[in-house]
Amino acid sequence: MLQKTQDATLAVDIEKVTKNYGSFTALSGVSLDVRDNEFFTLLGPSGCGKTTLLRSIAGFEEISDGAIRLYGEDIAGLPPHQRPVNTVFQQYALFPHMTVAQNVLFGLQRLRKPKDEALTRCTEVLELVQLSAFAGRYPNQLSGGQQQRVALARALAPKPKLLLLDEPLSALDLKLRQAVRVELKQIQKETGITFIFVTHDQEEALTMSDRIAVMSAGEVQQVGTPREVYEAPRNRFVADFIGETNLLDVTVTSVTGDQAFCILPGGREITCPAAAVVDPGPGHLSVRPERMTLTAPTDALLSGQVENHVYLGTDMQVMVRLEDDEVLTLRVQNSDAVSIPAIGSEVGIALEAGAARLLAD
Amino acid sequence: MSKITDMRRFPGFLQLTLLCLLVLYAPLMVVMVYSFNDSTSITLWGGFSLRWYEDVFFGLDAPKFKQAALNSLTIAVMAATCATIIAVSAAVAMMRARHLKGRTASFALINLPLMVPEIVTAVASLIFFSAIGFATGYATILVAHIVFCIPFAYLPIAARMQSIEDTYEQAAMDLYATPAQAFRLVLLPLMMPGIFSGFLLAFIISLDDFLITNFVKGAGIETLPTAIFGSVKQGIKPNIMAISTLLLLVSVGFVTLSYLASRMGQNREKKS
């Protein structure tokens, strides 16, 4: 543990944090490491504890057990105003009786920064979020996107060691949200501040994060890069929550190392990577819809009958009912080069190498 | 569109409204109009004159009314100030302390005096003061006024407080403000419109209170309402109408201010 706290590249060290509300456990023994200069995302459905964890780091919730260390210093006992951490709130919480500039200056003034230094910093962050022209406006004179940027500027102004973002994009409309994603990631890189970003939107998490912690029911299910959590989900929850997936019931015959041999519905056998230690017996195989291709029914790994098509613009979704009555969903690129078999026709399904992954429950 | 199917037309609505307005305002209009009456009679019109206003300020009874008005004013200012401070503390405590036990009970208790018949409060106050041996006079009036003004000050303040989310204070504390700074720099300015209208409401209530004042004031001290009542007992003179009109003006002025204050607060937070 001592070694860990001395690690200079470690920004936040969350160790076995538990939070109980009466008999309800919002966080149960959560441990996470957030590296310096990292865009780290807490991803999960509502009620999974991600916001509680964020508020515990900010100091708005008192944790029941565990430790939260910021660059080696235990901050769990400090009140919010003594933590070198700033927050971008979900509803921004801009002070309505202050101008944009006054909002941005608020933190700097509380830290007793010299006046000219504070003003320089204020100009600097307003430039960063491209709102220099709006310094004298009141928050209610700004659009939602502008308010969001003021909230970001206000939180960045005191140069916090850590910036917390509580679903800051959820109040924006889709087009704006997509633009802000890129901008936000850019600002994180430019400022070099460690970001912890909370969201329930997996697309947001995948596009912006350096690493993602997938949470459910007060526990961390998996931590990894966007590619890792998408392509190598550890368990059923992660596979199901991030992107779409097909879960096939298979029988595991043997496991060697991280490779498993399993029998597919229909009797064919395949070798695939296993997510964790899996015992022989019934198991679940995750296959992403875009990693399967339709083939001739003869001699295919899986075969069945086309049940339905759904037109998605760039893709076609094809549902295939297997012999054991399970329905698999495939994504086929919408192109003249690919012919989609008619509903009712018999088809075979081929899996790309590494497309299938055996999951722990 | 035929008149029958037009949902915006309510037959007789206009007449009913006019009747209500008449009943509400006719007595006030009579008092206001007759305060400018030249005659000493309170019912016969003798031409326009300001003599009764002159009488109020410079007449025989002028010193008595001036002293009473001064008492009323100082008591109202002090009572409203104290009641507002207490109401602000109560509102902040009740809205912010999530774990405060008996929150609902406290809320009901602080508003209950609004429902208690005033005569009961008046008698109870008198009994209380004499039980603890408190000599009746200026101080008893002031204490009684502070007490019955609290719920009036509390209502607009609590209503305002309800619309202020606690994320503002959290944002302030997140930006290194101590809890005291968060209160002073963020919560208090946001509450200001409510505090202002609470103060004005308490001020008006205190200024024109008669019943409780009359019970607890003791001999030798008058407020404007008790002084007016005292002189009416000896027969209504038109100067009373002049005083009443002046008092009405003050009230209308303050109520308007209070309304404008709360509207200003709302405007600023309205999303454009």
Side-chain angles (χ1 to χ4, degrees):
Chain A
M1 252 335 104
L2 194 68
Q3 239 179 345
K4 218 170 149 190
T5 57
Q6 283 169 347
D7 189 345
T9 61
L10 202 61
V12 189
D13 176 13
I14 294 161
E15 193 190 320
K16 296 192 185 109
V17 166
T18 296
K19 171 73 188 172
N20 302 311
Y21 295 101
S23 61
F24 174 72
T25 305
L27 295 171
S28 67
V30 171
S31 291
L32 280 175
D33 292 341
V34 180
R35 294 172 199 144
D36 189 30
N37 204 355
E38 190 172 36
F39 197 120
F40 191 88
T41 298
L42 300 173
L43 174 67
S46 55
C48 72
K50 58 190 193 299
T51 297
T52 307
L53 183 59
L54 194 84
R55 291 174 58 81
S56 303
I57 300 171
F60 301 129
E61 303 283 352
E62 213 175 310
I63 55 174
S64 313
D65 197 19
I68 300 174
R69 277 183 282 269
L70 187 66
Y71 292 94
E73 187 200 354
D74 193 343
I75 57 166
L78 295 177
H81 65 275
Q82 285 173 13
R83 301 188 186 198
V85 171
N86 290 139
T87 309
V88 177
F89 291 86
Q90 188 169 10
Q91 301 298 330
Y92 317 140
L94 298 174
F95 307 130
H97 59 296
M98 298 183 193
T99 61
V100 168
Q102 285 169 333
N103 266 283
V104 173
L105 282 169
F106 190 89
L108 296 164
Q109 285 165 340
R110 300 288 81 69
L111 290 172
R112 299 176 182 283
K113 296 276 182 219
K115 204 176 173 189
D116 48 342
E117 189 190 318
L119 286 173
T120 314
R121 179 65 183 155
C122 175
T123 318
E124 207 175 283
V125 287
L126 283 180
E127 246 163 57
L128 184 71
V129 298
Q130 295 158 28
L131 280 178
S132 306
F134 297 86
R137 300 263 190 108
Y138 283 94
N140 68 353
Q141 297 169 316
L142 302 177
S143 71
Q146 289 166 335
Q147 289 183 15
Q148 194 268 337
R149 293 200 325 248
V150 176
L152 182 64
R154 184 177 71 172
L156 284 171
K159 296 188 183 162
K161 286 187 176 170
L162 173 68
L163 189 76
L164 306 174
L165 301 104
D166 186 7
E167 309 214 15
L169 311 185
S170 62
L172 306 178
D173 56 52
L174 186 68
K175 272 269 186 263
L176 195 55
R177 203 153 60 210
Q178 285 168 342
V180 173
R181 270 182 213 162
V182 181
E183 217 173 299
L184 204 56
K185 175 76 187 171
Q186 192 62 36
I187 286 172
Q188 191 265 328
K189 269 189 198 156
E190 262 173 59
T191 55
I193 292 172
T194 310
F195 277 32
I196 296 185
F197 185 90
V198 160
T199 186
H200 63 266
D201 184 329
Q202 42 117 354
E203 207 180 303
E204 237 167 66
L206 291 175
T207 50
M208 291 194 290
S209 318
D210 293 320
R211 286 192 307 150
I212 300 171
V214 184
M215 292 182 69
S216 148
E219 286 176 46
V220 174
Q221 302 295 329
Q222 185 173 4
V223 182
T225 63
R227 187 175 282 272
E228 277 166 6
V229 292
Y230 184 79
E231 290 180 11
R234 228 188 67 194
N235 57 27
R236 282 176 71 177
F237 176 82
V238 177
D240 207 28
F241 189 73
I242 300 189
E244 294 166 65
T245 198
N246 292 288
L247 287 173
L248 277 175
D249 291 328
V250 295
T251 311
V252 182
T253 50
S254 69
V255 182
T256 44
D258 60 354
Q259 294 292 309
F261 302 93
C262 20
I263 300 167
L264 292 169
R268 296 288 298 261
E269 192 170 286
I270 64 162
T271 311
C272 63
V277 185
V278 181
D279 293 325
H284 301 284
L285 199 66
S286 159
V287 191
R288 296 287 183 194
E290 72 278 9
R291 307 285 300 258
M292 294 185 280
T293 44
L294 290 169
T295 61
T298 49
D299 208 33
L301 212 47
L302 291 160
S303 57
Q305 203 174 29
V306 176
E307 183 162 278
N308 204 358
H309 295 156
V310 178
Y311 178 74
L312 297 172
T314 55
D315 292 315
M316 286 288 282
Q317 214 172 40
V318 181
M319 280 83 142
V320 177
R321 187 172 289 275
L322 301 181
E323 282 148 17
D324 70 338
D325 248 16
E326 277 187 271
V327 177
L328 271 187
T329 304
L330 289 83
R331 266 184 190 245
V332 181
Q333 209 175 21
N334 194 10
S335 135
D336 290 341
V338 183
S339 62
I340 310 284
I343 292 174
S345 54
E346 295 288 330
V347 291
I349 296 167
L351 306 182
E352 283 177 31
R357 193 174 167 80
L358 193 65
L359 299 178
D361 260 317
Chain B
M1 190 186 280
S2 89
K3 277 184 179 180
I4 295 165
T5 56
D6 187 354
M7 294 299 284
R8 283 166 302 178
R9 284 182 62 94
F10 300 97
F13 188 75
L14 181 68
Q15 289 82 346
L16 202 65
T17 310
L18 288 176
L19 184 71
C20 282
L21 287 175
L22 184 77
V23 172
L24 273 173
Y25 289 102
L28 289 177
M29 293 308 289
V30 168
V31 167
M32 281 171 73
V33 168
Y34 275 86
S35 70
F36 297 103
N37 190 359
D38 194 37
S39 140
T40 44
S41 157
I42 55 160
T43 46
L44 293 172
W45 183 250
F48 179 84
S49 139
L50 288 174
R51 62 180 279 206
W52 299 115
Y53 286 90
E54 203 189 315
D55 185 71
V56 167
F57 288 101
F58 307 106
L60 260 178
D61 288 339
K64 190 179 87 182
F65 281 124
K66 268 183 192 163
Q67 184 57 46
L70 191 70
N71 288 341
S72 272
L73 212 62
T74 53
I75 287 172
V77 168
M78 285 191 283
T81 307
C82 293
T84 306
I85 292 169
I86 294 169
V88 169
S89 324
V92 172
M94 276 191 247
M95 299 287 169
R96 283 300 181 258
R98 251 175 257 149
H99 309 296
L100 186 71
K101 277 195 179 144
R103 226 182 92 184
T104 325
S106 321
F107 193 82
L109 277 176
I110 205 162
N111 285 310
L112 195 63
L114 296 173
M115 264 74 87
V116 172
E118 204 185 340
I119 185 77
V120 176
T121 312
V123 172
S125 301
L126 181 62
I127 293 172
F128 175 74
F129 284 133
S130 65
I132 62 168
F134 210 90
T136 51
Y138 191 88
T140 48
I141 303 176
L142 181 60
V143 171
H145 277 224
I146 291 172
V147 172
F148 76 69
C149 280
I150 291 171
F152 290 99
Y154 179 78
L155 280 181
I157 293 171
R160 175 78 196 153
M161 187 81 191
Q162 211 130 38
S163 69
I164 304 172
E165 287 165 54
D166 58 0
T167 45
Y168 290 120
E169 292 133 87
Q170 287 179 2
M173 285 191 259
D174 188 64
L175 292 161
Y176 315 110
T178 60
Q181 285 173 327
F183 176 74
R184 187 165 53 86
L185 298 170
V186 174
L187 188 57
L188 207 56
L190 292 177
M191 285 174 76
M192 225 37 188
I195 294 175
F196 192 58
S197 46
F199 174 86
L200 290 179
L201 195 58
F203 180 86
I204 287 298
I205 294 292
S206 162
L207 193 68
D208 78 0
D209 178 74
F210 169 75
L211 204 52
I212 295 173
T213 313
N214 202 37
F215 270 73
V216 300
K217 76 180 174 64
I221 182 162
E222 302 286 350
T223 65
L224 205 49
T226 61
I228 293 172
F229 183 73
S231 59
V232 166
K233 273 197 293 197
Q234 291 139 30
I236 303 174
K237 268 176 40 187
N239 65 341
I240 295 301
M241 297 198 188
I243 293 178
S244 303
T245 306
L246 289 171
L247 205 53
L248 185 68
L249 268 180
V250 172
S251 288
V252 169
F254 273 93
V255 170
T256 312
L257 262 183
S258 158
Y259 170 74
L260 289 178
S262 67
R263 219 181 51 167
M264 226 172 61
Q266 279 165 9
N267 274 353
R268 198 193 272 160
E269 274 126 57
K270 213 165 54 187
K271 299 269 177 286
S272 52

